[in-house]
Amino acid sequence: MAAMQGRSQGLKKGSNVTAEPVRSVQNIKAISKLLSDKPRDLLLWTMGINNGLRASDLVKLKVKQVSSLKVGDTLDITEQKTKKQNILVINKTTHKALANYLKKCRPKNSDYLFKSRKGTNNPLTSQTVGRLIKGWCQAINLPGQYSSHTLRKTWGYQMRTAFGAGVELMCERYNHSNPAVTMRYLGIEDREIHGVLMNDIG
């Protein structure tokens, strides 16, 4: 029902509605461990779940844009879908994954950060990112529906449940039109309303 509401009230039909976040910190760590010997994929996973940006914006990044960034630095980006301004933030976990990638893979400054392995300097597509994420989740026996939106949703779910971030803050980060869209996007609306209604008064 939530997915239907999302499509009828501003969210386009597709995996952006049905894709799930990785909810368990244990499973997040399991995927990170799985990717420990794949520096590019580990950086994609880490940067994605720590920023809440669309995969389509992450794959457009070039090495020269991020190679000199330190912990706490930000990078201004223009979202491909909305044309709105947003920022990439480098926290400690992302910086560690970035440094590991730069050291082990030694990409050129002109390379895409998440370069395709097909031999040309082309970035991964969002569809390829989705296939990678599905594969990672399957590898740790995680049931559910996952796509490129899982990166973005995992950030939102963890910010909401583990760190208590307000929906208004996440709405601004996601560049959604209003908090109701963010609630539907994260699939927490029905669950939270049910939780509130279960509170006893009197």
Side-chain angles (χ1 to χ4, degrees):
M1 181 177 179
M4 291 178 64
Q5 290 176 337
R7 290 197 290 269
S8 64
Q9 299 182 37
L11 292 177
K12 293 182 179 180
K13 180 179 180 180
S15 61
N16 60 335
V17 177
T18 59
E20 299 177 47
V22 177
R23 297 177 174 86
S24 163
V25 173
Q26 182 179 356
N27 286 328
I28 289 174
K29 291 181 177 180
I31 292 176
S32 296
K33 183 177 180 181
L34 175 73
L35 303 178
S36 60
D37 62 346
K38 298 178 179 179
R40 183 204 67 176
D41 292 354
L42 179 61
L43 177 59
L44 174 62
W45 167 248
T46 304
M47 186 175 283
I49 65 172
N50 278 277
N51 267 278
L53 296 172
R54 291 181 181 85
S56 57
D57 293 319
L58 292 177
V59 298
K60 295 299 182 184
L61 293 172
K62 292 257 182 125
V63 173
K64 61 186 176 183
Q65 293 178 273
V66 299
S67 58
S68 63
L69 296 180
K70 303 294 189 294
V71 176
D73 286 348
T74 62
L75 176 70
D76 293 330
I77 66 167
T78 301
E79 294 184 346
Q80 184 178 7
K81 180 179 180 180
T82 67
K83 308 306 178 187
K84 295 179 181 178
Q85 295 300 304
N86 213 325
I87 57 171
L88 171 78
V89 179
I90 303 297
N91 63 11
K92 290 181 181 179
T93 304
T94 303
H95 186 264
K96 181 179 179 181
L98 175 60
N100 178 63
Y101 170 75
L102 295 175
K103 179 180 179 180
K104 292 185 176 179
C105 297
R106 298 184 179 279
K108 298 177 182 177
N109 274 335
S110 59
D111 285 347
Y112 282 101
L113 188 62
F114 302 112
K115 184 179 176 182
S116 169
R117 294 198 176 100
K118 293 183 178 179
T120 58
N121 187 23
N122 289 320
L124 295 174
T125 64
S126 295
Q127 291 77 15
T128 300
V129 173
R131 288 195 293 272
L132 287 171
I133 293 169
K134 288 178 184 178
W136 303 338
C137 293
Q138 289 172 356
I140 66 166
N141 298 313
L142 185 60
Q145 300 184 61
Y146 302 97
S147 77
S148 61
H149 284 270
T150 292
L151 296 175
R152 188 165 156 88
K153 288 192 175 188
T154 297
W155 174 83
Y157 184 88
Q158 296 301 324
M159 289 299 105
R160 180 74 172 146
T161 60
F163 298 98
V167 175
E168 292 80 5
L169 183 150
M170 291 190 293
C171 175
E172 182 176 351
R173 177 58 174 162
Y174 281 143
N175 266 332
H176 283 162
S177 57
N178 60 70
V181 174
T182 302
M183 292 286 279
R184 289 192 299 273
Y185 181 74
L186 292 174
I188 58 178
E189 184 176 50
D190 294 340
R191 186 164 58 252
E192 290 205 359
I193 291 174
H194 180 270
V196 168
L197 293 175
M198 286 298 292
N199 291 331
D200 294 312
I201 301 175

